[in-house]
Amino acid sequence: MDFSIRAANLDDCKDIARMIMELAEYEKVSDHVKVTQKDLEQDGFSKNPFFHGIIAEVPEQHKTKEGYTEIGYALYFYAYSSWSGRAIYMEDLYVMPEFRGKGVGKALMSKVAQLALAAGCHQLNFTVLNWNKPSMDFYLSQGCFDVTGTMGYHCMRCEGEALEHLAQL
Amino acid sequence: MNFKIRRAAKEDCKDISRMIMDLAIYEKMPDQVKISHEELERDGFCQNPLFECLVAEVPDIMVSPVGNGIGTALLSKVAEVRLLGKKKQCVRLQLSVLNWNTPSRDFYAAKGAQDLTVTEGWHAIRFDGQNLDNLANEAPKD
């Protein structure tokens, strides 16, 4: 199947917002999604963006029945490891169900890795749900390692009232 | 105990590097530390810094710094950073902690942090070294 990978631009935010929701539904957490198309436009395409995006696109003849040609995306941002230095964090990787198994996810992730190396990064980090076997198997087959499983790191988060309270201590 | 929290300056990088190693020793992984104060200086104090840092300073060390509210003050100051201006703010503070590190897990739990690995099943995954190179080499040509 013919597809192309390119950097996301401001006009892609509507499709990115749509696919963020599709990914959240797959992860069974769609009620957690608060970010809007406008947030993405402001935060991803301003002078100092909080994230970068890449899009997987198919030609017109392969578009979905709803007419979408943007069929996958990855969101990432630059992070830092106090042990290894520059790093990339891949926040999302998603391919629409009917386009899976054709190398699109691999192409998106490889592109993020290429951008990581070009920027002098030594790590590509992301998270996956432990019950998401197709994704876990895919990532492991590509040569990553499970930091939680092998090293014992747990992902912690402070948000909402807890974060407000913490900031006021 | 008298202490203050302030933004790190370039001159602090040697001390930050020392404390990064102290933390890595505590986490039983000192061999994983690959960067020195030079990378910290380059990456944290350039035009577009890749990280920001707060340091805690005491006038002199007469007692052990642990258990005196310094950790809380540092964490709280990081949480305060979430207000970037009147309208925009950060909605989450994320970190990781080793599963055997009970004092730290208890500390973060007491501050209201949730353990997403336990409650939702999230695992941290990483590509580095040769595996990262191999993955990058497979990227589609532009």
Side-chain angles (χ1 to χ4, degrees):
Chain A
M1 183 189 75
D2 197 17
F3 64 89
S4 64
I5 305 289
R6 60 168 179 80
N9 56 51
L10 190 69
D11 299 323
D12 292 316
C13 289
K14 190 168 180 196
D15 277 284
I16 296 172
R18 165 182 62 82
M19 289 189 280
I20 284 172
M21 189 53 92
E22 290 174 17
L23 176 53
E25 278 159 11
Y26 174 83
E27 290 176 338
K28 306 173 191 173
V29 286
S30 47
D31 54 316
H32 288 200
V33 178
K34 308 293 179 209
V35 105
T36 63
Q37 176 186 333
K38 191 160 172 229
D39 291 325
L40 295 173
E41 288 166 359
Q42 283 174 352
D43 294 337
F45 299 91
S46 55
K47 186 163 179 277
N48 293 310
F50 274 85
F51 69 86
H52 305 277
I54 51 174
I55 302 283
E57 205 162 25
V58 294
E60 275 291 314
Q61 63 264 35
H62 292 305
K63 68 184 179 198
T64 71
K65 63 180 193 301
E66 298 91 351
Y68 302 129
T69 54
E70 306 201 6
I71 55 89
Y73 76 100
L75 280 194
Y76 65 93
F77 46 84
Y78 292 97
Y80 207 78
S81 156
S82 55
W83 292 358
S84 308
R86 298 177 193 178
I88 263 193
Y89 185 82
M90 184 170 69
E91 170 71 12
D92 282 354
L93 175 66
Y94 174 74
V95 177
M96 292 177 74
E98 60 261 52
F99 296 95
R100 291 179 195 161
K102 301 179 200 304
V104 180
K106 166 87 180 277
L108 283 164
M109 197 163 67
S110 301
K111 191 70 189 168
V112 175
Q114 189 187 65
L115 292 164
L117 290 182
C121 298
H122 302 284
Q123 288 180 356
L124 163 55
N125 294 311
F126 53 102
T127 58
V128 70
L129 288 159
N130 59 4
W131 55 257
N132 187 354
K133 197 168 185 311
S135 295
M136 192 63 103
D137 288 348
F138 167 64
Y139 296 132
L140 292 171
S141 75
Q142 299 304 312
C144 67
F145 74 99
D146 181 342
V147 171
T148 297
T150 59
M151 295 167 91
Y153 278 104
H154 280 216
C155 307
M156 309 289 291
R157 178 186 302 159
C158 217
E159 61 186 347
E161 270 187 43
L163 183 57
E164 290 293 328
H165 186 247
L166 185 60
Q168 279 148 35
L169 285 176
Chain B
M1 188 170 80
N2 194 13
F3 65 88
K4 71 172 181 190
I5 307 290
R6 58 169 177 79
R7 293 197 99 87
K10 198 169 180 178
E11 303 74 59
D12 293 314
C13 288
K14 284 199 170 116
D15 275 294
I16 296 167
S17 191
R18 166 182 61 80
M19 290 188 280
I20 284 171
M21 184 53 88
D22 286 347
L23 176 53
I25 290 168
Y26 175 81
E27 290 182 333
K28 303 176 190 167
M29 290 183 267
D31 53 313
Q32 299 269 346
V33 180
K34 309 294 182 202
I35 63 167
S36 72
H37 67 94
E38 286 169 2
E39 283 86 356
L40 297 175
E41 285 166 9
R42 180 196 65 193
D43 296 334
F45 300 92
C46 52
Q47 176 89 326
N48 293 310
L50 286 166
F51 67 85
E52 294 181 13
C53 182
L54 300 169
V55 292
E57 209 163 20
V58 294
D60 57 61
I61 299 178
M62 297 294 286
V63 297
S64 165
V66 175
N68 281 290
I70 297 178
T72 296
L74 281 165
L75 187 61
S76 175
K77 210 68 185 163
V78 172
E80 214 177 72
V81 170
R82 88 213 182 287
L83 289 172
L84 302 172
K86 282 185 184 149
K87 289 180 191 171
K88 293 301 287 182
Q89 64 179 57
C90 299
V91 294
R92 292 175 175 176
L93 189 164
Q94 305 201 137
L95 54 125
S96 60
V97 69
L98 286 159
N99 56 7
W100 55 257
N101 188 355
T102 312
S104 294
R105 289 183 79 179
D106 290 346
F107 169 74
Y108 294 128
K111 300 290 179 282
Q114 310 160 55
D115 184 335
L116 299 176
T117 295
V118 167
T119 59
E120 295 182 14
W122 290 100
H123 279 223
I125 309 288
R126 175 179 300 156
F127 281 94
D128 60 8
Q130 192 61 57
N131 293 313
L132 181 58
D133 288 348
N134 293 343
L135 183 63
N137 285 336
E138 291 167 32
K141 308 286 170 266
D142 286 325

